Amino acid sequence: MSEYSVKVIIATHKKFDSYGAPKHIYKNSDAMLIPIFKANGAAVASVVAETTIAVIQLVLVRNELDGIQVLKLLPKYLISGGVMLASLLWLNQYLKKNILDTILMIVLGASVYLIILFFLKDKFLIENAKLALNKVIRRRKEQ
C-alpha cells in the first residue's frame, strides 16, 4: 500500500484496499494489451490501473478535500509535466533504445519536472525538500 493510501485511510478513517481492484484491472488489461502492443501495452495498462486508484481515492476523500484548492494547484503540475514531456520527446530523437538511455531519460525527466515545480514555487515540494535537508543536516551533526 502506498504512503498516499495510508494518508487517505488516516484522513477519512475508512479502510479501503486501493490496491486490490486496480490490480485486477491491471492484470486483465495487461493480458489483453501486452501480446498486441508489447511495452506500450504494459505502459497503458499501468496508467489505467494508477488512474483507477487515483479516482477511487479522490472519491473517498471528496468530503475532506476542498475541490477549488486542488484545482488551483493543477496548473503547476500540468506545466511541469508538459515541459518534462517536451524535453523527453526532444531528447528521444537523439537516443538509442537501450537501458542506459532509458535510465538517462528517467533521471532527466524527474529532474526537469522537479526543477520546474521548484521555479513555480510549489509549496509541497519546497516543504518536503526542507524537511529532507534538515534531516540530512541533523544526521551529519550527529556523526
Side-chain angles (χ1 to χ4, degrees):
M1 186 179 301
S2 73
E3 182 180 341
Y4 179 75
S5 298
V6 171
K7 289 178 183 175
V8 168
I9 291 168
I10 291 169
T12 62
H13 306 291
K14 298 175 188 172
K15 186 160 185 353
F16 173 74
D17 180 13
S18 63
Y19 178 70
K23 179 180 78 172
H24 295 294
I25 293 168
Y26 175 75
K27 279 177 68 176
N28 292 337
S29 56
D30 242 7
M32 294 181 301
L33 296 172
I34 290 177
I36 300 167
F37 299 108
K38 311 279 186 258
N40 289 335
V44 169
S46 295
V47 170
V48 167
E50 291 297 327
T51 302
T52 304
I53 291 169
V55 168
I56 291 170
Q57 289 177 338
L58 281 172
V59 168
L60 287 175
V61 298
R62 70 185 177 276
N63 296 328
E64 280 78 16
L65 290 178
D66 180 8
I68 301 299
Q69 287 298 105
V70 171
L71 289 175
K72 285 181 182 177
L73 298 173
L74 193 60
K76 289 181 183 180
Y77 297 104
L78 291 175
I79 291 168
S80 296
V83 172
M84 177 188 71
L85 174 64
S87 65
L88 292 177
L89 288 173
W90 174 80
L91 180 64
N92 191 45
Q93 300 173 54
Y94 305 103
L95 297 178
K96 298 175 184 140
K97 308 294 185 237
N98 61 46
I99 189 70
L100 291 176
D101 287 348
T102 300
I103 292 169
L104 173 67
M105 288 187 71
I106 291 169
V107 170
L108 179 72
S111 299
V112 167
Y113 186 79
L114 293 173
I115 289 168
I116 299 299
L117 279 179
F118 180 77
F119 282 121
L120 293 174
K121 296 182 172 91
D122 181 64
K123 189 187 279 187
F124 181 78
L125 174 69
I126 292 170
E127 287 175 5
N128 282 294
K130 285 179 183 177
L131 286 172
L133 283 173
N134 287 335
K135 197 172 195 177
V136 169
I137 290 169
R138 267 188 272 126
R139 283 191 181 168
R140 292 236 169 183
K141 286 181 181 179
E142 290 172 3
Q143 292 177 349

